[in-house]
Amino acid sequence: MVTIATDTVKFSYGSAPVLYNVTFRLETGAILALVGPNGSGKTTLIRCIDRILHPEGSILINEQNIHTMSRNDIATTIGYVPQNGTKIAAATVFDVVMMGRTPHMSWRLGDGDIDRIEYAIQLLGIEDLAERDYNELSGGQQQKVLIARAIAQDPKILLLDEPTNSLDIHHQLEALATISDISRSTGMTVVMAVHDLSIAARYADMLMMLKNGTIVAIGKPEELITPERIREVYNVDARILYDPEAGLIVAPLRAVPGVAL
Amino acid sequence: MKQVFSILIVLILATGIIICPVQGSDDYSTEARQLLATGILDHLQGGGPGLVMLRDAATLYPDYPRLITDTAGTKFTFYRPVERVVVMHANAAESIIAIGGDDRIVGVGSTIKTNTLQFPGLSRLPDVGRWTEPDIEAILALNPDLILTYVTWPEPEKLERHLPSRIPVIRMEYYKVEVFREEIEKTGRIFSEEEHCADYLAWYDEYLAIVEDRIGSIPCEERVRVYAESGSGQSFGRRTYSEGTGLHDLLVAAGGVNVASGHTTGYADVENEWVMHQNPDVILIWSGKAGYKLGERNDIIQLYEEIMGTPGFGSIEAVKNDRVYIVTSGFAFGTGSPAALVQVAKWLYPDRFEEINTEEIHAEYLERFTRTGAEIREQGTFYYPDGREI
Amino acid sequence: MSETTIRSGYAKRTHTRILIIGGLFALLILLTGVAATLGSYSISVIEVFETILGGRGADSDISTIVWNYRLPRILMGILAGAALGLAGAMMQGILRNPLASPFTLGIASAASFGASLAIILGAGFAAGGSLIIGNAFLFTLIAAAAVYGLAQIRGITPETMIMAGIAIMYLFSALTSFLQYLGDSEDVNAVVFWMFGSLGRSTWETVSVVAILVGALFPLFLLSARSLNTLSAGDEAAKSLGVPVEQIRIGGMAGASLLTAGVICFTGTIGFIGLVAPHITRMILGGDHRFLLPGTAVVGALVLLGADSIGRTIMAPQILPVGIMTAFLGVPFFIFLFLSRRRNYW
């Protein structure tokens, strides 16, 4: 069980503020989905929690302020899967997953490290790609490799930025099932930014809805996702459906005109 | 009408030429007559040097016009002696002084300008820029009737292109042995200083003859083997001078055999061990330091000591027998070179030049053919060892 | 692919890489032996090795040639090649840029300027040996500090460092050209020669200075190998994986600058190795810096020593400048590898 707590977190890129007074406290071993329209601050919040960005206010992980932690301590606590797109020079899939061991390994790659790399590669089902050049893979394959890297990192909290962005529906389901399995079996806390509300509702235990850099609501998916709130946050008329297997489904109907993003 | 008028003048001039020999002694050379006739014909066709030039040549200067072909192969016709000369480089300035034409110099290149001890008079004249980068405006402001510069520098693009065609640009080297004597003779004719020129060439020929006389009979296998280099051992390493360099020509003229001959041409970087392997009898170093610049004697001595102290060189004959010599560029090339030739020949074959006092030859050169003062004669280091203490 | 093949695949690759590095190292030792017997003074292979092993009189010519000239030159070739290769690999790693080398960041042009200043305006080249070395070293550090200072204003990223480096490079190149314009032809010749690079000035003193530098920095570079690997995934990913990105970048820059300065102040600018040795190695060994760094050191040494050995013999007794020979030798090899590789190596 880990706790993530923020207190009046504010962040701006130059003069453009992105996060205002984000304050929340999570005691969880579960999956938290950050939802909200473009520019609502989901990615920024994730990057603040991993101390890639330096916001005002405080962020506590297990009651310890991340500003007092070393880079390596943060890396052993928090894993971060960015949106893919970075070229990686002369690296095989194995090499990229091995990077996940950076905070743990000594100069030599120990047996324990290789065990963990193998585990991560198998978990994502990318054994066949292990010797391939990372840059030659499809976007979806690269995304899986990056998730495997974060798994190899063995963190207590896993941050994912749009993890299913470039995956087709088959691979979306696979990847999310994997993440959800890991979270259930190891108690790893997962925080992921997700666009698709139906996906968020299906896999997340908790939702945090953001708009214009502030928290609109936190709660269980079925409590949070209502047509009124979707209209409030997204300016979209939507119908909420329910399928016995797929669970809650958000069917967007039309954009409400006249409201600038 | 104008044409009739000019034909009339030309006829008068022509009559003058024809009449003159009848009046007195025949001062007009065949060459001058032909040139003048060509000039007149050109003028009739609308070209030529102009009436003023033709009249001066015809009436004032019996030896003119004169045809000069410079070392670059360009032909120039002079209708009267030059009066305002711009000199771009020090080799030319030195030669003009040697034949006594320096009173007609009106502008000098920067290397002459800054060389106050070698050119005490000329260095007070206006600066016309570097020998690679002439200052065209400064040159034009001096209204010269001749510019003297190197064969290849500055490129015509930088010089002739910007000048009116009436200003001749004569390109001569004044430091290359193979054309030196010819260039001096031509300079004598340009400046109308045939007598001084003959004096200088007599001195020049005398010492060349002495050396040739005494070394000419030495068979190849008895000639002294010389390693010639740039004296850069302390900075960028051994660099030898071979065929195609002035130092090579000097040592060959003095009866030596260059150990680099047949191995390299021009200058080439070599290893210390190659010099050890060649085991020369004499090591001859050239330096751009000292000479007409005072206060650089230590740089010259350092070159000597660098060779003497190089590890492994102790087993080279030249080092073992202390036959390591240095000549400076102010000594080895150009008008002073006969003195250097005798000096090098004496270093190579001391017993054949025993009674010749090389110091006196150089002192005579400085006295007769340069404008340098007493400080150069007393303190100048032109070669080493020169018998002076420290 | 089963569990065991991932593990054994890694073990096999590691094994192959170690074997390749070992093979390259053996090749280097062989080349050293060959180079020691090359030269105008005819000394047999046996005599050379007798001399090295102390079997000959210390004051013979052969001993002087082997100990005073050939060995320092060869060792300098090895150390300089290794140092320049390492510096290049480090620059390419910290800047994530295949074109980065000590030259891209203006370090070499600063050294050229320092040397030119000493040659043209200083005591001249006869007395100025140590002045040239000192000045070249000093200006290299000034350039590195300037690049750091400029880049820091906008944050130390590969982009800011390369921009600052290119600005510094052009500044020092222009200053050097200006000095050449002012200098007389003899000094300009010396500057040009200096910029070609040469191992001919090597002595045991200069060799030991470079040896100390390489000896001190190589372990530090190796220690950072893991971080450099992770850095190739981008600054953010590296930070999130626990790499102190800015420290590594500043430290790497300082280390690479020191190595470059320490070498080229003695040898003159030998440019090509820093760029190409890491690439050649990367094509052979892959991008893992734990193998890339030692591999680059050996490849750099091989290329430089090989180039110098050919430069000493091909037109003997004339020696061709090693900087030129390096390019003649390295470029075709580099192009061959570049064209014959299917895989993206960068």
Side-chain angles (χ1 to χ4, degrees):
Chain A
M1 191 66 123
V2 288
T3 60
I4 306 174
T6 67
D7 187 20
T8 58
V9 167
K10 291 180 199 168
F11 185 81
S12 46
Y13 290 108
S15 57
V18 185
L19 293 178
Y20 299 95
N21 290 332
V22 173
T23 304
F24 67 89
R25 181 177 179 84
L26 284 170
E27 295 189 20
T28 168
I31 299 178
L32 171 73
L34 304 180
V35 295
N38 291 337
S40 60
K42 303 185 295 288
T43 300
T44 305
L45 181 57
I46 283 182
R47 282 146 59 98
C48 286
I49 294 171
D50 201 23
R51 214 182 77 188
I52 290 167
L53 301 176
H54 300 270
E56 290 173 47
S58 58
I59 296 173
L60 305 174
I61 305 289
N62 287 338
E63 316 305 334
Q64 192 184 3
N65 192 318
I66 58 168
H67 280 103
T68 65
M69 296 167 77
S70 74
R71 204 63 264 178
N72 214 63
D73 284 348
I74 295 177
T76 52
T77 313
I78 304 172
Y80 169 50
V81 180
Q83 296 194 36
N84 70 321
T86 312
K87 257 189 107 190
I88 301 180
T92 62
V93 166
F94 183 91
D95 291 337
V96 176
V97 178
M98 186 176 77
M99 290 176 191
R101 298 308 295 166
T102 308
H104 302 280
M105 70 187 270
S106 65
W107 193 81
R108 238 185 114 253
L109 197 61
D111 278 345
D113 296 314
I114 301 185
D115 287 343
R116 187 74 196 177
I117 293 166
E118 268 176 355
Y119 168 72
I121 287 178
Q122 281 162 359
L123 205 58
L124 273 296
I126 50 174
E127 297 95 324
D128 291 345
L129 303 178
E131 310 266 308
R132 291 272 302 279
D133 190 318
Y134 174 81
N135 291 330
E136 290 171 351
L137 304 184
S138 72
Q141 290 168 324
Q142 288 184 343
Q143 192 120 40
K144 282 188 173 181
V145 175
L146 295 185
I147 294 170
R149 182 176 77 190
I151 305 284
Q153 196 178 343
D154 196 11
K156 298 186 177 68
I157 301 166
L158 181 60
L159 306 173
L160 300 120
D161 193 359
E162 309 278 2
T164 56
N165 219 3
S166 42
L167 301 182
D168 59 42
I169 49 174
H170 175 86
H171 291 99
Q172 280 188 5
L173 291 179
E174 267 186 10
L176 287 164
T178 307
I179 291 166
S180 136
D181 285 351
I182 298 165
S183 176
R184 308 264 180 273
S185 60
T186 63
M188 184 192 283
T189 299
V190 175
V191 177
M192 56 183 186
V194 184
H195 259 303
D196 188 322
L197 288 171
S198 310
I199 293 258
R202 178 164 171 192
Y203 288 97
D205 303 303
M206 294 275 280
L207 290 189
M208 181 188 290
M209 201 171 260
L210 293 161
K211 187 183 185 185
N212 294 336
T214 51
I215 298 172
V216 177
I218 301 180
K220 294 201 177 305
E222 51 274 26
E223 294 162 11
L224 217 66
I225 298 180
T226 61
E228 295 72 37
R229 196 165 267 131
I230 288 172
R231 190 186 165 94
E232 177 198 339
V233 173
Y234 290 93
N235 296 305
V236 162
D237 284 333
R239 186 165 297 152
I240 313 294
L241 309 172
Y242 191 81
D243 178 271
E245 260 193 85
L248 195 149
I249 296 166
V250 178
L253 300 176
R254 66 193 73 83
V256 176
V259 184
L261 188 74
Chain B
M1 185 65 200
K2 201 180 161 197
Q3 211 151 25
V4 176
F5 183 67
S6 47
I7 291 173
L8 207 69
I9 292 186
V10 169
L11 284 176
I12 295 167
L13 285 172
T15 327
I17 300 166
I18 298 156
I19 292 168
C20 273
V22 184
Q23 284 177 336
S25 59
D26 189 355
D27 287 340
Y28 288 80
S29 69
T30 328
E31 186 204 0
R33 270 189 238 211
Q34 279 169 355
L35 288 170
L36 192 57
T38 312
I40 291 166
L41 288 173
D42 284 349
H43 183 77
L44 285 174
Q45 287 179 341
L51 274 180
V52 182
M53 287 286 190
L54 287 169
R55 192 189 55 214
D56 283 1
T59 56
L60 299 173
Y61 307 107
D63 292 343
Y64 284 77
R66 291 179 168 184
L67 184 72
I68 305 285
T69 308
D70 71 1
T71 308
T74 319
K75 289 182 163 57
F76 298 90
T77 309
F78 288 88
Y79 292 88
R80 59 186 182 201
V82 293
E83 278 161 9
R84 302 184 61 81
V85 180
V86 163
V87 182
M88 297 305 299
H89 63 99
N91 296 99
E94 166 183 272
S95 305
I96 294 167
I97 291 173
I99 59 139
D102 50 322
D103 54 336
R104 270 144 284 175
I105 297 176
V106 293
V108 294
S110 309
T111 44
I112 301 168
K113 182 91 187 152
T114 51
N115 219 333
T116 51
L117 289 175
Q118 189 183 1
F119 304 113
L122 298 185
S123 60
R124 281 193 289 269
L125 296 175
D127 192 338
V128 294
R130 286 149 51 93
W131 54 272
T132 46
E133 292 288 338
D135 181 343
I136 297 293
E137 290 190 21
I139 291 173
L140 288 174
L142 292 168
N143 188 27
D145 51 20
L146 172 65
I147 298 169
L148 270 168
T149 188
Y150 285 120
V151 169
T152 37
W153 297 288
E155 298 84 345
E157 272 295 292
K158 287 180 181 167
L159 190 61
E160 280 93 330
R161 210 189 117 184
H162 306 281
L163 296 171
S165 58
R166 70 184 149 78
I167 304 179
V169 177
I170 289 211
R171 293 178 170 273
M172 296 204 282
E173 308 280 31
Y174 295 108
Y175 69 93
K176 287 191 175 165
V177 186
E178 60 270 30
V179 288
F180 181 77
R181 201 181 185 288
E182 223 175 291
E183 287 180 341
I184 292 288
E185 278 181 329
K186 287 174 187 169
T187 313
R189 274 164 52 74
I190 295 169
F191 282 83
S192 232
E193 288 285 356
E194 284 87 345
E195 266 178 52
H196 284 127
C197 185
D199 283 351
Y200 171 75
L201 287 176
W203 178 81
Y204 180 88
D205 293 338
E206 181 191 346
Y207 289 108
L208 259 61
I210 287 178
V211 172
E212 178 56 30
D213 191 43
R214 298 185 186 203
I215 59 130
S217 59
I218 304 172
C220 275
E221 60 277 10
E222 283 173 32
R223 295 205 170 209
V224 173
R225 297 175 70 252
V226 184
Y227 164 70
E229 74 145 40
S230 65
S232 49
Q234 278 190 335
S235 55
F236 50 80
R238 303 258 85 83
R239 175 170 285 183
T240 190
Y241 287 113
S242 187
E243 278 137 30
T245 64
L247 194 61
H248 171 86
D249 293 342
L250 177 64
L251 80 88
V252 170
V257 172
N258 191 339
V259 295
S261 269
H263 293 294
T264 64
T265 54
Y267 60 76
D269 299 310
V270 294
E271 286 179 291
N272 286 325
E273 61 175 271
W274 179 76
V275 182
M276 291 168 68
H277 181 60
Q278 290 298 326
N279 193 17
D281 303 313
V282 166
I283 294 178
L284 185 63
I285 305 169
W286 168 82
S287 171
K289 297 271 176 198
Y292 293 100
K293 287 165 277 178
L294 299 182
E296 294 184 341
R297 187 175 173 81
N298 274 336
D299 296 327
I300 299 294
I301 295 173
Q302 265 183 14
L303 298 179
Y304 170 82
E305 280 167 359
E306 193 268 330
I307 289 279
M308 299 303 281
T310 299
F313 274 24
S315 59
I316 295 177
E317 287 298 319
V319 175
K320 230 188 280 174
N321 304 324
D322 196 13
R323 296 181 75 185
V324 175
Y325 306 108
I326 298 152
V327 292
T328 64
S329 47
F331 178 60
F333 311 116
T335 44
S337 58
L341 179 66
V342 180
Q343 180 64 66
V344 174
K346 189 175 177 179
W347 281 333
L348 300 188
Y349 305 101
D351 42 336
R352 287 175 191 253
F353 293 86
E354 223 163 353
E355 90 295 357
I356 290 187
N357 186 336
T358 51
E359 261 170 75
E360 272 174 16
I361 301 172
H362 190 237
E364 183 196 357
Y365 164 73
L366 291 176
E367 178 66 39
R368 284 179 62 193
F369 302 114
T370 73
R371 303 269 184 256
T372 53
E375 70 279 0
I376 286 292
R377 242 153 291 166
E378 283 154 18
Q379 300 165 46
T381 301
F382 288 88
Y383 52 93
Y384 187 85
D386 53 6
R388 243 187 292 149
E389 295 291 312
I390 304 164
Chain C
M1 203 180 275
S2 73
E3 192 173 314
T4 46
T5 49
I6 293 177
R7 183 183 293 269
S8 64
Y10 174 73
K12 203 176 139 210
R13 252 176 304 143
T14 307
H15 192 64
T16 314
R17 287 167 176 171
I18 290 171
L19 269 183
I20 292 174
I21 294 175
L24 289 170
F25 196 75
L27 199 62
L28 181 62
I29 289 175
L30 186 72
L31 182 60
T32 306
V34 172
T37 61
L38 295 177
S40 339
Y41 205 102
S42 43
I43 307 175
S44 73
V45 181
I46 296 160
E47 282 173 317
V48 168
F49 289 105
E50 266 180 18
T51 310
I52 294 172
L53 297 171
R56 297 185 76 90
D59 44 333
S60 71
D61 278 356
I62 292 179
S63 163
T64 309
I65 288 169
V66 171
W67 281 105
N68 284 46
Y69 301 128
R70 290 194 189 170
L71 287 183
R73 187 179 187 114
I74 288 166
L75 290 178
M76 187 55 129
I78 292 171
L79 288 166
L84 293 172
L86 282 171
M90 178 54 90
M91 291 273 185
Q92 290 172 7
I94 57 173
L95 299 177
R96 283 202 307 276
N97 189 314
L99 294 178
S101 81
F103 285 67
T104 328
L105 291 196
I107 288 170
S109 53
S112 299
F113 174 70
S116 309
L117 203 63
I119 293 169
I120 292 176
L121 298 183
F125 58 76
S130 52
L131 192 67
I132 295 173
I133 294 168
N135 245 19
F137 192 79
L138 179 72
F139 275 92
T140 310
L141 297 188
I142 289 176
V147 169
Y148 170 71
L150 283 174
Q152 212 210 7
I153 297 171
R154 296 294 304 265
I156 305 284
T157 66
E159 293 75 22
T160 57
M161 286 179 89
I162 289 170
M163 291 305 262
I166 287 175
I168 294 294
M169 180 188 74
Y170 277 107
L171 174 67
F172 280 112
S173 302
L175 285 170
T176 307
S177 304
F178 180 63
L179 279 182
Q180 288 184 330
Y181 184 79
L182 291 182
D184 62 45
S185 55
E186 198 185 329
D187 290 341
V188 171
N189 267 343
V191 170
V192 169
F193 182 87
W194 193 89
M195 298 210 297
F196 284 153
S198 161
L199 297 175
R201 280 157 289 180
S202 315
T203 62
W204 285 104
E205 287 80 40
T206 63
V207 167
S208 40
V209 170
V210 178
I212 289 168
L213 267 179
V214 173
L217 288 169
F218 183 55
L220 291 177
F221 275 34
L222 270 188
L223 277 180
S224 71
R226 209 170 39 120
S227 301
L228 289 174
N229 286 345
T230 308
L231 201 56
S232 68
D235 280 15
E236 291 196 353
K239 272 186 195 173
S240 135
L241 288 164
V243 175
V245 173
E246 297 205 344
Q247 280 100 302
I248 290 284
R249 193 161 282 145
I250 293 164
M253 166 89 179
S257 305
L258 261 177
L259 274 182
T260 312
V263 169
I264 64 180
C265 71
F266 297 126
T267 63
T269 42
I270 301 173
F272 189 66
I273 303 240
L275 181 68
V276 157
H279 283 289
I280 292 174
T281 318
R282 204 175 279 112
M283 286 186 263
I284 299 172
L285 287 174
D288 188 336
H289 285 78
R290 293 174 304 157
F291 305 100
L292 179 63
L293 287 171
T296 302
V298 180
V299 168
L302 267 173
V303 174
L304 191 56
L305 182 58
D308 189 50
S309 300
I310 293 175
R312 280 199 301 143
T313 46
I314 196 165
M315 281 179 69
Q318 178 159 15
I319 306 166
L320 299 178
V322 70
I324 295 173
M325 285 313 298
T326 316
F328 281 162
L329 194 72
V331 171
F333 185 54
F334 176 64
I335 290 173
F336 165 73
L337 279 178
F338 175 68
L339 293 178
S340 62
R341 282 260 133 173
R342 268 186 311 111
R343 234 153 81 152
N344 277 336
Y345 76 94
W346 182 272

